[in-house]
Amino acid sequence: MTATAEAPTRPAEGAAPAGVRGRLTSPRALVLTCAALFLVLLASVVVAIGLGAAVVTPGDTARYLWAALTGGRIGADETTTYQIIWQIRTPRVLLAALVGAGLSAVGVAIQAMVRNALADPFVLGVSSGASVGAVGVTVTGGLAALGVYAVSAGAFIGALVASFLVYAASSSRGALSPLRLVLTGVAMSLGFQALMSVIIYFAPDSEATGMVLYWTMGGFGAASWGALPVVSAVVLLGLAVLYRHARSLDVLSLGDETAASLGVSPDRQRTSLLVLVSLITGVMVAVSGAISFVGLVMPHLVRMVVGATHARVLAVAPLVGAVFMVWVDLLSRTVVAPRELPLGVITALVGVPVFITLMRRKGHVFGGR
């Protein structure tokens, strides 16, 4: 259901107040910004694909990508480099862009849905549930029929189970209040972490320990072309649906009473959004593990520039998140090469100071004056 009246301009909890407007408020400025960010994203993808243990110039990288897309020919002496570019790095960089875009957009939706500036895609316990599913499959050898996709499938199933449990525990007579949703998500997250510790404790070998590190800190080392179609379909379709809910998110962020007065059923909208963001988050966590701070910080950064209207935020935030994640992934595989840093290490090192700076400069958003 969408709003049938103009949303009031009083500030939403967790969003910039109406008096603090972003600079890019005109449609023309927004379109130009999105176009510029898209070009930056394309350039970042090409550069990131070319950099690594074997450095390839952007020109050669673009040539290899064009040959792969059009069926063109390359020299016999370039076969190895071509395989590195197309088979290894390209799916990884594209997956990084998709996950970064998805995390940023889901973060925007959840912060409006629960009216909490500290909410992010993993506040609902989805990442912890996914980690339990992945570790459980690794230890027990379950879902072996799925081969290399068994762990990802286990993570996705765990994420869906966690989402269902959070919904079942937080809903009361069909009502889904933001506070109960957040508190239940935090409690379930702690419970899943305890369960994961028990699984590791009784694991017959140490393989589960490494798996836990991956699923709790994130990484794209397992990226492949086989995983991209599903992730692309879910994330891109999810972004489109979230954008269609932009007006409803504006109204939800103003409070349930205001939403009801404007013709929006807050409980129904919150339930449908919970299903949607859980599905998107579950798919992303299944292929990348849990990556912190992206869904928390990116929405606030974008609101500072474009304002608090969700149509504008949801147009810009995915592009900013995609660019950011492409460069984070590049750093993770080059800073301490040939080893890789977990993505969560880099996002935390960047996200913590940025978030503290935002909190001090925009105190009205985070409970200050």
Side-chain angles (χ1 to χ4, degrees):
M1 181 185 297
T2 56
T4 57
E6 287 294 323
T9 58
R10 69 183 180 89
E13 184 176 344
V20 183
R21 298 294 184 183
R23 298 177 181 177
L24 304 176
T25 56
S26 70
R28 176 182 172 83
L30 183 64
V31 170
L32 291 176
T33 300
C34 291
L37 285 171
F38 184 75
L39 293 177
V40 171
L41 176 60
L42 287 180
S44 300
V45 166
V46 173
V47 172
I49 291 174
L51 294 179
V55 179
V56 181
T57 64
D60 286 339
T61 300
R63 180 165 59 86
Y64 291 142
L65 294 177
W66 182 253
L69 294 173
T70 61
R73 296 184 177 182
I74 59 171
D77 59 333
E78 299 177 303
T79 302
T80 300
T81 305
Y82 170 81
Q83 292 294 331
I84 293 174
I85 292 296
W86 182 247
Q87 296 296 339
I88 299 176
R89 294 184 187 170
T90 300
R92 175 172 182 147
V93 173
L94 293 179
L95 185 62
L98 285 169
V99 171
L103 288 175
S104 298
V106 170
V108 172
I110 290 181
Q111 287 173 9
M113 184 174 70
V114 301
R115 302 202 306 274
N116 192 319
L118 298 178
D120 71 356
F122 305 116
V123 73
L124 303 180
V126 178
S127 62
S128 297
S131 298
V132 169
V135 174
V137 168
T138 302
V139 173
T140 63
L143 304 178
L146 297 178
V148 295
Y149 301 108
V151 177
S152 294
F156 181 65
I157 293 172
L160 293 185
V161 170
S163 302
F164 173 78
L165 292 176
V166 168
Y167 172 79
S170 59
S171 62
S172 176
R173 298 179 181 178
L176 197 65
S177 72
L179 180 59
R180 287 174 64 93
L181 191 59
V182 172
L183 293 177
T184 304
V186 172
M188 287 291 182
S189 180
L190 295 174
F192 280 122
Q193 290 176 21
L195 178 59
M196 185 168 55
S197 300
V198 172
I199 295 175
I200 297 170
Y201 182 79
F202 289 103
D205 53 49
S206 61
E207 183 179 0
T209 303
M211 186 61 63
V212 169
L213 179 63
Y214 174 81
W215 288 104
T216 55
M217 301 298 288
F220 298 113
S224 66
W225 283 111
L228 275 177
V230 174
V231 180
S232 301
V234 172
V235 171
L236 295 179
L237 182 60
L239 293 180
V241 175
L242 284 177
Y243 190 81
R244 289 178 61 87
H245 280 78
R247 177 59 63 84
S248 297
L249 290 173
D250 285 337
V251 178
L252 277 179
S253 63
L254 298 174
D256 288 4
E257 293 183 0
T258 302
S261 69
L262 293 173
V264 174
S265 171
D267 294 326
R268 184 181 302 173
Q269 285 292 329
R270 200 168 284 121
T271 300
S272 61
L273 287 169
L274 174 62
V275 173
L276 178 60
V277 299
S278 297
L279 178 62
I280 299 173
T281 305
V283 169
M284 292 188 296
V285 173
V287 296
S288 67
I291 303 173
S292 61
F293 281 99
V294 179
L296 173 62
V297 174
M298 291 301 155
H300 292 298
L301 288 176
V302 172
R303 288 191 194 99
M304 289 178 61
V305 179
V306 304
T309 303
H310 284 88
R312 294 197 295 263
V313 177
L314 286 171
V316 176
L319 292 170
V320 175
V323 172
F324 175 72
M325 189 55 64
V326 166
W327 286 100
V328 166
D329 178 59
L330 177 61
L331 289 175
S332 75
R333 57 187 170 87
T334 57
V335 170
V336 292
R339 302 181 64 183
E340 288 189 15
L341 280 175
L343 294 177
V345 172
I346 300 176
T347 56
L349 289 175
V350 175
V352 169
V354 170
F355 185 77
I356 291 176
T357 302
L358 284 174
M359 185 172 61
R360 294 184 65 85
R361 293 185 59 185
K362 303 291 181 180
H364 51 268
V365 178
F366 301 94
R369 296 179 179 178

